[in-house]
Amino acid sequence: MLSQRQLFLQHIAQTSPEPLALQIEKGEGIYLTDHDGKKYIDLISGIAVSNLGHSHPKIIQAVNQQMQKHSHLMVYGEYIQYPQVKLAEKLISLLPQTLNTVYFTNSGAEATEGVMKLAKRTTGRTQLVSFKNSYHGSTQGALSLMGSEEFKTNFRPLLPDVLLLEFNNSEQLKEISNKTAAVFVEVIQAESGIIPAKKEWLNELRKKCNETGTLLVVDEIQTGFGRTGTLFAFEDYDIIPDILLIGKAFGGGLPLAAFVSSRELMKELSHHPVLGHISTFAGNPVCCAAALAALEVFQETHLLDKINEKENLLKNFKHSSLVEVRCKGLFCCFDFKDNNLTMRIIAEAIKNGVITDWFLFNAGAMRIAPPLIITKDELKLGLEKIYESIEKVI
Ligand code: PMP
């Protein structure tokens, strides 16, 4: 009989030559337990998803209760589904006034796709702008915006009329014009290894979009829901996006994303043509119930109260093999001097019971994004284990 590992390798389409292939039986809080009973500290949260840890009882309860009422009913937007309405109401209460209407999607990429269409539809323009090293999803539209030629080149032709500018470069903002429908930006670029936008630059970008009638789309799919120390990273920047992209931690562990904008913009999806964006499962009521529970837990438990102290623990991590540690909240990058060691250190840390990860566009760096519920002692232990793993590899 074939093992689960063999079946996984044979029947699950693989996207890398050497998948981690951890065989996880259970997730609870910050811990994952494999089929041999080995426990790992999860310092990566399924890539910034499990902000409340795994198997949160309130989320399980919300999912169970909603399943007993109903799961899928109808293609997005036709029926009034209470979990969607309650979730939208709650989310909007936490956002600036102009971000008052939600289009739910299943994934971040699907939200990016919807926004590209919305931007073209509402401005009558075709040009889209994004930045070098940005990541907005892997579907062909979202991929067209991606700031890495390596990941795009073999899938061309992609969307025409996409302009890629340098992140944090003020001079290049002059390329944005009254031909530009929308600019997509991450407030803190994740995949190049936690690179924050400069405050002044992001404000200049906001101003340029205002001057040219261009929509500013802020992608908080990875940074949202407390990851960087505030509910959304843009709160630190004195800007308000025209459209906000959210996903990952939003669903409390279930697949859910969204784009949020003003009622005036969103109504454009309902005519010329009608059904301007269609998705069968988007805003699935069970996912929305989980997301609502997650937001409630987020608020009730004051999850961000101790985040600065935890951020400092990460920031103060020192080892001679590191060039730099970059952190905002619990969104962190350990940048190693020798790029060739990173993968080995990550593998050694896993052996040592700590899960971290790498970045798509920065091969020399280690990604750390623990569940926000992690305690200081747990984080210290995780960091000790990383230190031991580095020592073992170098
Ligand atoms: N934008 C950002 C900033 C992301 O980090 C991601 C996912 N890594 C996406 C968009 C795409 O989200 P999804 O994988 O859910 O399609």
Side-chain angles (χ1 to χ4, degrees):
M1 209 173 72
L2 293 178
S3 69
Q4 288 294 310
R5 182 187 163 81
Q6 287 164 323
L7 289 167
F8 166 78
L9 293 173
Q10 276 189 17
H11 300 308
I12 304 293
Q14 299 298 326
T15 52
S16 76
E18 288 177 57
L20 288 175
L22 280 177
Q23 205 170 316
I24 301 300
E25 298 281 336
K26 187 163 174 52
E28 196 171 11
I30 65 152
Y31 295 101
L32 297 178
T33 308
D34 74 9
H35 65 303
D36 291 323
K38 179 171 171 175
K39 229 171 157 183
Y40 303 84
I41 300 176
D42 180 4
L43 289 190
I44 196 65
S45 313
I47 316 291
V49 169
S50 316
N51 283 10
L52 302 177
H54 299 273
S55 309
H56 195 288
K58 290 244 167 90
I59 297 177
I60 295 175
Q61 190 188 22
V63 166
N64 284 341
Q65 280 175 355
Q66 185 53 43
M67 274 306 281
Q68 275 163 19
K69 289 182 191 150
H70 64 81
S71 58
H72 178 78
L73 294 181
M74 183 51 165
V75 61
Y76 175 85
E78 290 299 318
Y79 291 0
I80 299 168
Q81 302 189 39
Y82 298 148
Q84 284 184 354
V85 178
K86 283 186 195 156
L87 174 60
E89 186 192 20
K90 176 89 181 164
L91 178 66
I92 282 159
S93 74
L94 303 170
L95 287 169
Q97 255 182 359
T98 45
L99 298 172
N100 53 29
T101 308
V102 184
Y103 189 111
F104 292 111
T105 63
N106 301 291
S107 68
E110 200 193 327
T112 302
E113 296 288 335
V115 170
M116 287 191 284
K117 287 165 70 186
L118 180 65
K120 288 179 172 178
R121 177 76 186 73
T122 52
T123 61
R125 306 172 182 178
T126 53
Q127 187 185 61
L128 299 169
V129 167
S130 60
F131 296 96
K132 215 174 150 205
N133 284 330
S134 62
Y135 187 93
H136 301 289
S138 186
T139 49
Q140 291 205 60
L143 183 65
S144 307
L145 299 175
M146 194 186 286
S148 158
E149 194 47 36
E150 185 195 340
F151 282 85
K152 285 157 70 156
T153 192
N154 288 338
F155 299 106
R156 288 194 185 282
L158 293 168
L159 278 185
D161 218 2
V162 173
L163 182 65
L164 212 64
L165 304 180
E166 292 279 339
F167 191 63
N168 276 333
N169 181 320
S170 299
E171 176 62 20
Q172 292 206 351
L173 296 181
K174 70 174 187 309
E175 302 295 329
I176 297 165
S177 71
N178 58 9
K179 292 198 172 59
T180 315
V183 176
F184 288 72
V185 69
E186 291 160 90
V187 174
I188 299 174
Q189 282 197 332
E191 297 308 327
S192 47
I194 315 298
I195 308 290
K198 290 183 189 140
K199 215 166 192 173
E200 201 178 293
W201 178 78
L202 202 56
N203 279 275
E204 284 169 27
L205 173 60
R206 176 68 274 183
K207 197 161 154 247
K208 187 72 187 176
C209 287
N210 290 348
E211 284 164 11
T212 55
T214 301
L215 296 169
L216 180 62
V217 184
V218 171
D219 182 342
E220 294 249 17
I221 289 169
Q222 197 158 167
T223 47
F225 300 96
R227 172 61 49 202
T228 67
T230 46
L231 182 62
F232 293 104
F234 78 81
E235 291 168 30
D236 265 349
Y237 282 81
D238 307 324
I239 58 144
I240 297 180
D242 296 308
I243 306 176
L244 178 68
L245 290 168
I246 54 177
K248 287 192 181 273
F250 182 38
L254 270 72
L256 188 68
F259 50 101
V260 188
S261 187
S262 67
R263 212 160 294 123
E264 294 71 48
L265 273 189
M266 289 290 207
K267 76 174 188 305
E268 297 293 329
L269 293 174
S270 64
H271 61 99
H272 297 100
V274 291
L275 302 172
H277 199 52
I278 307 175
S279 179
T280 300
F281 287 119
N284 177 281
V286 180
C287 301
C288 287
L292 180 61
L295 261 183
E296 285 168 358
V297 171
F298 179 88
Q299 284 191 309
E300 284 160 13
T301 55
H302 307 286
L303 204 56
L304 301 182
D305 279 1
K306 296 227 162 60
I307 200 155
N308 288 344
E309 294 166 37
K310 296 182 222 173
E311 177 180 342
N312 284 338
L313 284 177
L314 287 162
K315 274 185 171 159
N316 291 329
F317 181 86
K318 293 202 171 42
H319 193 280
S320 56
S321 61
L322 289 169
V323 191
E324 195 182 10
V325 171
R326 289 185 295 277
C327 285
K328 185 80 178 76
L330 296 188
F331 199 36
C332 196
C333 169
F334 288 180
D335 216 338
F336 290 99
K337 286 179 190 156
D338 182 350
N339 285 2
N340 299 316
L341 293 182
T342 313
M343 288 309 216
R344 283 171 52 206
I345 294 168
I346 291 169
E348 187 58 41
I350 290 177
K351 269 201 231 157
N352 203 9
V354 171
I355 301 174
T356 64
D357 202 23
W358 46 287
F359 292 97
L360 272 182
F361 311 146
N362 185 342
M366 176 189 260
R367 180 202 295 262
I368 300 184
L372 307 181
I373 57 160
I374 196 165
T375 64
K376 283 196 285 177
D377 284 344
E378 287 165 339
L379 187 55
K380 273 185 206 156
L381 179 64
L383 290 172
E384 272 164 35
K385 284 174 179 278
I386 292 176
Y387 191 94
E388 286 162 19
S389 310
I390 300 173
E391 286 282 293
K392 193 140 187 209
V393 168
I394 62 171

